[in-house]
Amino acid sequence: MAIASALQGVRTRIEAAARDAGRDPAGIQLIAVSKTFPAEAVAEAAACDQVHFGESYAQELRDKAAALPGALRWHFIGRLQTNKARYIAPVAHRVHALETVHQAEALVRRAPGPLRCLVPVNAAGEASKGGLPPREVLDRCEVLSKIEGIEIVGLMTLPPWSEDPQDAAPWFAQVADLAARGRARGIPLHELSMGMSHDFEVAIHHGATWVRVGTAVFGERR
Ligand SMILES: *Cc1c(COP(=O)(O)O)cnc(C)c1O
């Protein structure tokens, strides 16, 4: 019951933020980030018509995808390790943080068909986080797009933590601008994965098409 009402609350906020930004709410999809929560919690959200789920750990993704109905769509949002590609590629609807050719090749070997991926942008240059420096992103997208079996469809970002969600606005704007410049170069970067529990409304204002929301749906992770 708690998940049902939390999910409804988040959906209402997404719609309000979309309207505020003059966007069609249908252009924003909620990814319920279920990492560390049991399959039962995912099933509870799925019973409320939640389709997209996000996981950060490869084996956890594999186990939940096996345990839950095939109609659910799984997003791998964690850092990629090539030796774990075999757990991810067979089940992922999207891989949100593909950085290298080496990673792409590991995924392709295990993917049943074309795999849609996003490239992560480390907009603030934080050493503790993955992602590419903005100036390297578009060239890398071009290289990765040429790999048979990989489709680069967008960019992902995770801005520096700040008490005030509005502080994330310049980072989201920068990543949206980068995607627009990519499209002008002919790279089909139509998807923007940005915004979490704390700042998804700000991300929607800056063009997010996927918001990755965990805590606001499932509660605090232990
Ligand atoms: C855990 C996680 C989220 C969800 O974060 P919340 O603050 O719980 O909404 C989103 N994106 C990534 C990459 C994550 O690892």
Side-chain angles (χ1 to χ4, degrees):
M1 278 321 279
I3 291 173
S5 61
L7 204 45
Q8 197 43 56
V10 170
R11 287 174 179 156
T12 304
R13 286 169 59 192
I14 289 172
E15 280 169 30
R19 267 194 304 276
D20 260 16
R23 298 183 56 196
D24 179 354
I28 299 133
Q29 295 281 322
L30 169 63
I31 300 171
V33 176
S34 45
K35 65 176 181 220
T36 78
F37 286 94
E40 292 71 38
V42 175
E44 204 174 323
C48 309
D49 299 320
Q50 181 62 32
V51 173
H52 296 280
F53 292 89
E55 291 287 338
S56 296
Y57 308 104
Q59 284 101 325
E60 191 179 347
L61 168 64
R62 172 201 58 188
D63 293 346
K64 283 184 190 158
L68 286 148
L72 303 185
R73 297 280 177 261
W74 296 96
H75 295 249
F76 187 72
I77 62 172
R79 284 180 88 159
L80 268 174
Q81 292 172 273
T82 48
N83 62 334
K84 307 262 174 80
R86 65 186 184 279
Y87 303 133
I88 300 164
V91 295
H93 180 66
R94 293 282 187 282
V95 172
H96 286 240
L98 175 65
E99 294 190 34
T100 69
V101 170
H102 188 57
Q103 291 170 345
E105 286 170 346
L107 288 170
V108 162
R109 276 197 290 279
R110 308 284 181 164
L115 194 58
R116 294 188 169 150
C117 301
L118 292 82
V119 171
V121 185
N122 191 337
E126 292 172 282
S128 62
K129 286 181 187 164
L132 298 169
R135 68 178 182 286
E136 293 176 17
V137 167
L138 296 184
D139 286 347
R140 186 68 56 86
C141 287
E142 274 180 344
V143 169
L144 294 169
S145 297
K146 293 199 177 97
I147 298 172
E148 182 82 31
I150 294 287
E151 289 177 22
I152 301 298
V153 297
L155 302 179
M156 181 267 214
T157 202
L158 202 164
W161 165 259
S162 170
E163 195 70 43
D164 181 358
Q166 282 300 336
D167 290 344
W171 307 116
F172 292 145
Q174 186 188 356
V175 173
D177 178 64
L178 199 52
R181 286 195 282 131
R183 291 193 297 274
R185 268 168 67 167
I187 314 166
L189 301 176
H190 296 291
E191 300 183 8
L192 286 174
S193 168
M194 48 191 209
M196 321 204 311
S197 293
H198 178 64
D199 56 13
F200 68 83
E201 282 131 325
V202 179
I204 288 169
H205 270 264
H206 291 281
T209 67
W210 297 110
V211 291
R212 310 177 310 265
V213 180
T215 311
V217 172
F218 294 108
E220 292 290 339
R221 286 181 290 277
R222 274 149 299 181

